[in-house]
Amino acid sequence: MKLTKNKGEWSEFYVLLKVLIEQKLYAADENLNAIENVFYPILSVIAGKDTLNQRNYELSEKSEEIKILDPKSGRFKTINKSVIKTKLKGIFQIIKDSAKTFEIESAEKLKDQLECSTIKSGSNKKTDIVLVVHDWATGMKP
């Protein structure tokens, strides 16, 4: 039996998927509208930081593959971005149209493929998803 999640929980997973595909963190204006030509390239994403199920997703603009690393075991695998792209709009539509708690079968399958059992960090942490970006101005990767 699949677990149901609420809109907020599914939205957190949707944000992870969107970030893995777009690979950009956009600047925004005072009304929170994205500024299309001002962004930081995302180099990697960490979900479930400091938990037993932490997964690191390494990204490259030059590759259609996302490398999924289990930092505890050192084991890794890859997934093609197209697997996520084909399901992204449908997942968004279900989140948008649903109420209370609900299942999204296609998202559950993606969670399994991404080995993403949790997005939330440890209970003493405020961050759910950590992004490592490239800062063009400084050359740093905070």
Side-chain angles (χ1 to χ4, degrees):
M1 182 175 140
K2 298 287 183 191
L3 295 175
T4 60
K5 296 176 180 31
N6 65 35
K7 226 178 244 256
E9 292 165 327
W10 280 122
S11 295
E12 288 175 356
F13 183 64
Y14 176 81
V15 167
L16 173 65
L17 298 176
K18 188 87 166 150
V19 164
L20 291 175
I21 295 305
E22 289 190 359
Q23 294 184 217
K24 295 177 183 173
L25 179 62
Y26 288 94
D29 65 18
E30 65 277 359
N31 297 314
L32 300 179
N33 297 308
I35 302 171
E36 292 297 320
N37 60 344
V38 182
F39 62 89
Y40 295 101
I42 298 172
L43 305 175
S44 65
V45 179
I46 303 168
K49 187 168 173 58
D50 300 325
T51 69
L52 294 175
N53 298 313
Q54 176 178 321
R55 290 297 180 269
N56 299 358
Y57 302 95
E58 296 180 14
L59 307 172
S60 170
E61 288 183 0
K62 298 175 184 172
S63 173
E64 282 298 305
E65 297 290 319
I66 298 169
K67 185 176 177 181
I68 304 166
L69 174 68
D70 175 352
K72 301 285 188 231
S73 69
R75 180 180 58 79
F76 76 91
K77 72 176 200 176
T78 60
I79 185 172
N80 195 291
K81 292 175 193 171
S82 65
V83 172
I84 299 169
K85 285 179 189 176
T86 60
K87 296 180 171 102
L88 202 58
K89 284 184 183 180
I91 291 169
F92 178 77
Q93 197 62 48
I94 292 169
I95 293 169
K96 184 177 167 191
D97 295 343
S98 298
K100 299 187 180 181
T101 61
F102 50 96
E103 295 177 22
I104 305 177
E105 188 175 332
S106 59
E108 287 288 350
K109 288 179 183 175
L110 274 178
K111 283 182 79 164
D112 291 342
Q113 290 174 293
L114 291 167
E115 297 184 1
C116 183
S117 60
T118 185
I119 292 176
K120 298 214 174 284
S121 296
S123 59
N124 60 340
K125 305 285 182 187
K126 297 276 185 200
T127 55
D128 291 334
I129 299 173
V130 176
L131 306 178
V132 178
V133 299
H134 177 95
D135 184 342
W136 297 105
T138 64
M140 296 180 68
K141 297 175 182 167

